[in-house]
Amino acid sequence: MSLTDDYLAAATTRGPKPSAIRAAVAPQLDATGYMGRCLSRPAFLEAEEYHQLAGDLDLLHSALTRIPERLFGGDLGAFALAVGLTQEQADAVVRGRGTAPSRFARADMYKDGDGFHLLEINMGSTAGGVDNPILNKAMLELPFIAEFVEQHGLDYTETMEEVVRTILTEAKVPTGVRPTMAIADFPDSYPDLERQLHKIGAMLAPMGIDALPCPVDALEYKDEKVWLGDRPIDIVFRLFMIEDLLKPGAVAMLEPVLQASERGHVAIFTPLDAELYGSKGCLALLSDEAYRDRYSADELAALDRILPWTRMVRRGQVTVDGRKTDLLEYAVAAREELVLKPTSLHGGDGVLLGWRTDADTWAAGLDAAMDQPWVLQRRVHPVPETFPTDDGEEEWLLTWGAFLVSHGLGGFWVRGSQELDGGIVNIATGATAGCCFFRTS
């Protein structure tokens, strides 16, 4: 039996009602990424699954972050344009690049009978859900769950602590120094996150960072320092996204931070080039058979396991399952097995699901996307999981968000939906999140 089977069997005979579990943990989920609600049980991972995923994501990161040198002769600007950024975005990315690609990312995946399959990878500090251990801790206050976790030798990762370790490493903070960090978002989105950001700031304080949430236009660059009011800032934690650079006046608003970073007067976590590696256009490059000779055997094996067929929407021939075919003809014929996605938007914006789209709308979407920054990706058919209810059970489809940090796998942000055919899973539009316990041996 699996860990999930064991849990369901135990919960049926002696576990608390799901409504009681939710009521017990709800007070701790206010002003968090959980938005006050959660799934009725934890998700579970066996040791073999955990270690396979950790290895595959490490190799995926290696393959992604070496695309510029392997395919573009090290030209980051050319790479940025190739995956769909505008010239203005590409210029900002080149100016705001880090000394090395960040290790901080969240890979969002579905899981079927063969394992995990990647939907997208959110590279960089804009990846939400780092406060996920709040629910692990709240669940462990329930004796039934605490006993199950101990009996089966399960663990969870303190994602926030791993993020802090990654920040201090990548920002090159000297040992023993307590940095001051501005958690900066764009002025139009900052008010919606302000309460949550102050709560995260309070969580970071005992971990060795003074974190000050603010809109990015509150930062000032003078006297060779970035300032927030009268506080000098050592690190700018970037919450603004690469699509924000398209807003009127955005690049000018960021100019003080970009200048300070270029001159070594502030560290940005994560630098703007991190989101470049999270472009879905990168997944199309990794998936394309034309470039398989650029990667090691280990990288190719990991990509074959975890990455669905993905291509930029371009006129001409593509390879599908070893055969050459016209991309548009294939996209029309295989509509119910494909997803159409913009390369650099987040939160499901612009995504068109072929199996939920009529033929005419799909054709129009393909026409609009052709030779633009869009990708086609093969549909993944995840296996739903069973969750208890007060009077029975129900099926949920899980999206697994696995964090990559400086020291490997950094925890999980699990989100559930009851749209079992694989709709867009987004907490802001009604999905429900959960936590994960796993076995490592």
PDB file of all heavy atoms in Angstrom, residues 45-48 50-51 152-155 438-441:
ATOM      1  N   LEU A  45       4.664  11.742  -0.542  1.00  0.00           N
ATOM      2  CA  LEU A  45       5.596  11.239  -1.545  1.00  0.00           C
ATOM      3  C   LEU A  45       6.446  10.123  -0.943  1.00  0.00           C
ATOM      4  O   LEU A  45       6.973  10.268   0.170  1.00  0.00           O
ATOM      5  CB  LEU A  45       6.522  12.345  -2.045  1.00  0.00           C
ATOM      6  CG  LEU A  45       6.060  13.215  -3.207  1.00  0.00           C
ATOM      7  CD1 LEU A  45       7.194  14.153  -3.611  1.00  0.00           C
ATOM      8  CD2 LEU A  45       5.610  12.388  -4.390  1.00  0.00           C
ATOM      9  N   GLU A  46       6.574   9.034  -1.705  1.00  0.00           N
ATOM     10  CA  GLU A  46       7.461   7.939  -1.317  1.00  0.00           C
ATOM     11  C   GLU A  46       8.920   8.346  -1.568  1.00  0.00           C
ATOM     12  O   GLU A  46       9.206   9.258  -2.348  1.00  0.00           O
ATOM     13  CB  GLU A  46       7.136   6.689  -2.127  1.00  0.00           C
ATOM     14  CG  GLU A  46       5.674   6.267  -2.107  1.00  0.00           C
ATOM     15  CD  GLU A  46       5.280   5.555  -0.817  1.00  0.00           C
ATOM     16  OE1 GLU A  46       6.178   5.318   0.021  1.00  0.00           O
ATOM     17  OE2 GLU A  46       4.081   5.249  -0.663  1.00  0.00           O
ATOM     18  N   ALA A  47       9.845   7.657  -0.919  1.00  0.00           N
ATOM     19  CA  ALA A  47      11.271   7.996  -1.019  1.00  0.00           C
ATOM     20  C   ALA A  47      11.774   7.926  -2.459  1.00  0.00           C
ATOM     21  O   ALA A  47      12.517   8.805  -2.917  1.00  0.00           O
ATOM     22  CB  ALA A  47      12.089   7.076  -0.117  1.00  0.00           C
ATOM     23  N   GLU A  48      11.383   6.893  -3.190  1.00  0.00           N
ATOM     24  CA  GLU A  48      11.867   6.742  -4.567  1.00  0.00           C
ATOM     25  C   GLU A  48      11.388   7.898  -5.443  1.00  0.00           C
ATOM     26  O   GLU A  48      12.160   8.432  -6.253  1.00  0.00           O
ATOM     27  CB  GLU A  48      11.376   5.407  -5.148  1.00  0.00           C
ATOM     28  CG  GLU A  48      11.897   5.129  -6.544  1.00  0.00           C
ATOM     29  CD  GLU A  48      11.447   3.781  -7.088  1.00  0.00           C
ATOM     30  OE1 GLU A  48      10.839   2.996  -6.328  1.00  0.00           O
ATOM     31  OE2 GLU A  48      11.716   3.514  -8.272  1.00  0.00           O
ATOM     32  N   TYR A  50      10.587  10.888  -4.406  1.00  0.00           N
ATOM     33  CA  TYR A  50      11.242  12.111  -3.938  1.00  0.00           C
ATOM     34  C   TYR A  50      12.646  12.233  -4.544  1.00  0.00           C
ATOM     35  O   TYR A  50      13.022  13.282  -5.080  1.00  0.00           O
ATOM     36  CB  TYR A  50      11.320  12.106  -2.412  1.00  0.00           C
ATOM     37  CG  TYR A  50      12.005  13.317  -1.825  1.00  0.00           C
ATOM     38  CD1 TYR A  50      11.291  14.470  -1.535  1.00  0.00           C
ATOM     39  CD2 TYR A  50      13.375  13.295  -1.573  1.00  0.00           C
ATOM     40  CE1 TYR A  50      11.929  15.585  -1.003  1.00  0.00           C
ATOM     41  CE2 TYR A  50      14.016  14.408  -1.054  1.00  0.00           C
ATOM     42  CZ  TYR A  50      13.291  15.544  -0.765  1.00  0.00           C
ATOM     43  OH  TYR A  50      13.924  16.655  -0.250  1.00  0.00           O
ATOM     44  N   HIS A  51      13.420  11.168  -4.467  1.00  0.00           N
ATOM     45  CA  HIS A  51      14.799  11.236  -4.946  1.00  0.00           C
ATOM     46  C   HIS A  51      14.874  11.336  -6.468  1.00  0.00           C
ATOM     47  O   HIS A  51      15.742  12.034  -7.008  1.00  0.00           O
ATOM     48  CB  HIS A  51      15.587  10.031  -4.436  1.00  0.00           C
ATOM     49  CG  HIS A  51      15.824  10.064  -2.956  1.00  0.00           C
ATOM     50  ND1 HIS A  51      16.552  11.050  -2.332  1.00  0.00           N
ATOM     51  CD2 HIS A  51      15.399   9.235  -1.956  1.00  0.00           C
ATOM     52  CE1 HIS A  51      16.591  10.834  -1.034  1.00  0.00           C
ATOM     53  NE2 HIS A  51      15.902   9.740  -0.775  1.00  0.00           N
ATOM     54  N   HIS A 152       5.407   6.694  10.134  1.00  0.00           N
ATOM     55  CA  HIS A 152       5.885   6.370   8.791  1.00  0.00           C
ATOM     56  C   HIS A 152       7.223   7.045   8.458  1.00  0.00           C
ATOM     57  O   HIS A 152       7.696   6.950   7.321  1.00  0.00           O
ATOM     58  CB  HIS A 152       4.825   6.759   7.756  1.00  0.00           C
ATOM     59  CG  HIS A 152       3.616   5.883   7.785  1.00  0.00           C
ATOM     60  ND1 HIS A 152       2.611   6.042   8.710  1.00  0.00           N
ATOM     61  CD2 HIS A 152       3.265   4.812   7.018  1.00  0.00           C
ATOM     62  CE1 HIS A 152       1.676   5.128   8.509  1.00  0.00           C
ATOM     63  NE2 HIS A 152       2.055   4.360   7.493  1.00  0.00           N
ATOM     64  N   GLY A 153       7.830   7.711   9.430  1.00  0.00           N
ATOM     65  CA  GLY A 153       9.142   8.314   9.206  1.00  0.00           C
ATOM     66  C   GLY A 153       9.129   9.410   8.172  1.00  0.00           C
ATOM     67  O   GLY A 153      10.044   9.502   7.335  1.00  0.00           O
ATOM     68  N   LEU A 154       8.111  10.265   8.216  1.00  0.00           N
ATOM     69  CA  LEU A 154       7.941  11.304   7.205  1.00  0.00           C
ATOM     70  C   LEU A 154       8.587  12.615   7.643  1.00  0.00           C
ATOM     71  O   LEU A 154       8.843  12.849   8.815  1.00  0.00           O
ATOM     72  CB  LEU A 154       6.460  11.527   6.914  1.00  0.00           C
ATOM     73  CG  LEU A 154       5.656  10.293   6.504  1.00  0.00           C
ATOM     74  CD1 LEU A 154       4.221  10.672   6.183  1.00  0.00           C
ATOM     75  CD2 LEU A 154       6.304   9.598   5.311  1.00  0.00           C
ATOM     76  N   ASP A 155       8.801  13.480   6.667  1.00  0.00           N
ATOM     77  CA  ASP A 155       9.452  14.764   6.925  1.00  0.00           C
ATOM     78  C   ASP A 155       8.825  15.818   6.025  1.00  0.00           C
ATOM     79  O   ASP A 155       8.019  15.510   5.136  1.00  0.00           O
ATOM     80  CB  ASP A 155      10.954  14.643   6.644  1.00  0.00           C
ATOM     81  CG  ASP A 155      11.775  15.709   7.354  1.00  0.00           C
ATOM     82  OD1 ASP A 155      11.185  16.603   8.000  1.00  0.00           O
ATOM     83  OD2 ASP A 155      13.018  15.654   7.252  1.00  0.00           O
ATOM     84  N   PHE A 438       6.917  13.755   3.112  1.00  0.00           N
ATOM     85  CA  PHE A 438       7.594  12.789   2.245  1.00  0.00           C
ATOM     86  C   PHE A 438       8.521  11.911   3.057  1.00  0.00           C
ATOM     87  O   PHE A 438       8.920  12.235   4.170  1.00  0.00           O
ATOM     88  CB  PHE A 438       8.368  13.496   1.137  1.00  0.00           C
ATOM     89  CG  PHE A 438       9.278  14.587   1.619  1.00  0.00           C
ATOM     90  CD1 PHE A 438      10.541  14.291   2.129  1.00  0.00           C
ATOM     91  CD2 PHE A 438       8.873  15.919   1.573  1.00  0.00           C
ATOM     92  CE1 PHE A 438      11.381  15.287   2.586  1.00  0.00           C
ATOM     93  CE2 PHE A 438       9.714  16.926   2.030  1.00  0.00           C
ATOM     94  CZ  PHE A 438      10.963  16.613   2.528  1.00  0.00           C
ATOM     95  N   ARG A 439       8.870  10.793   2.438  1.00  0.00           N
ATOM     96  CA  ARG A 439       9.822   9.859   3.031  1.00  0.00           C
ATOM     97  C   ARG A 439      11.116   9.939   2.218  1.00  0.00           C
ATOM     98  O   ARG A 439      11.066   9.977   0.986  1.00  0.00           O
ATOM     99  CB  ARG A 439       9.245   8.443   3.010  1.00  0.00           C
ATOM    100  CG  ARG A 439      10.043   7.434   3.793  1.00  0.00           C
ATOM    101  CD  ARG A 439       9.204   6.274   4.311  1.00  0.00           C
ATOM    102  NE  ARG A 439       8.247   5.726   3.373  1.00  0.00           N
ATOM    103  CZ  ARG A 439       7.246   4.936   3.725  1.00  0.00           C
ATOM    104  NH1 ARG A 439       7.053   4.640   4.997  1.00  0.00           N
ATOM    105  NH2 ARG A 439       6.428   4.453   2.815  1.00  0.00           N
ATOM    106  N   THR A 440      12.248   9.960   2.874  1.00  0.00           N
ATOM    107  CA  THR A 440      13.518  10.034   2.162  1.00  0.00           C
ATOM    108  C   THR A 440      14.313   8.734   2.239  1.00  0.00           C
ATOM    109  O   THR A 440      15.350   8.606   1.592  1.00  0.00           O
ATOM    110  CB  THR A 440      14.395  11.179   2.708  1.00  0.00           C
ATOM    111  OG1 THR A 440      14.599  11.003   4.102  1.00  0.00           O
ATOM    112  CG2 THR A 440      13.727  12.523   2.442  1.00  0.00           C
ATOM    113  N   SER A 441      13.846   7.768   3.033  1.00  0.00           N
ATOM    114  CA  SER A 441      14.571   6.498   3.107  1.00  0.00           C
ATOM    115  C   SER A 441      13.586   5.382   3.463  1.00  0.00           C
ATOM    116  O   SER A 441      12.436   5.629   3.795  1.00  0.00           O
ATOM    117  CB  SER A 441      15.686   6.584   4.152  1.00  0.00           C
ATOM    118  OG  SER A 441      15.166   6.862   5.434  1.00  0.00           O
TER     119      SER A 441
END
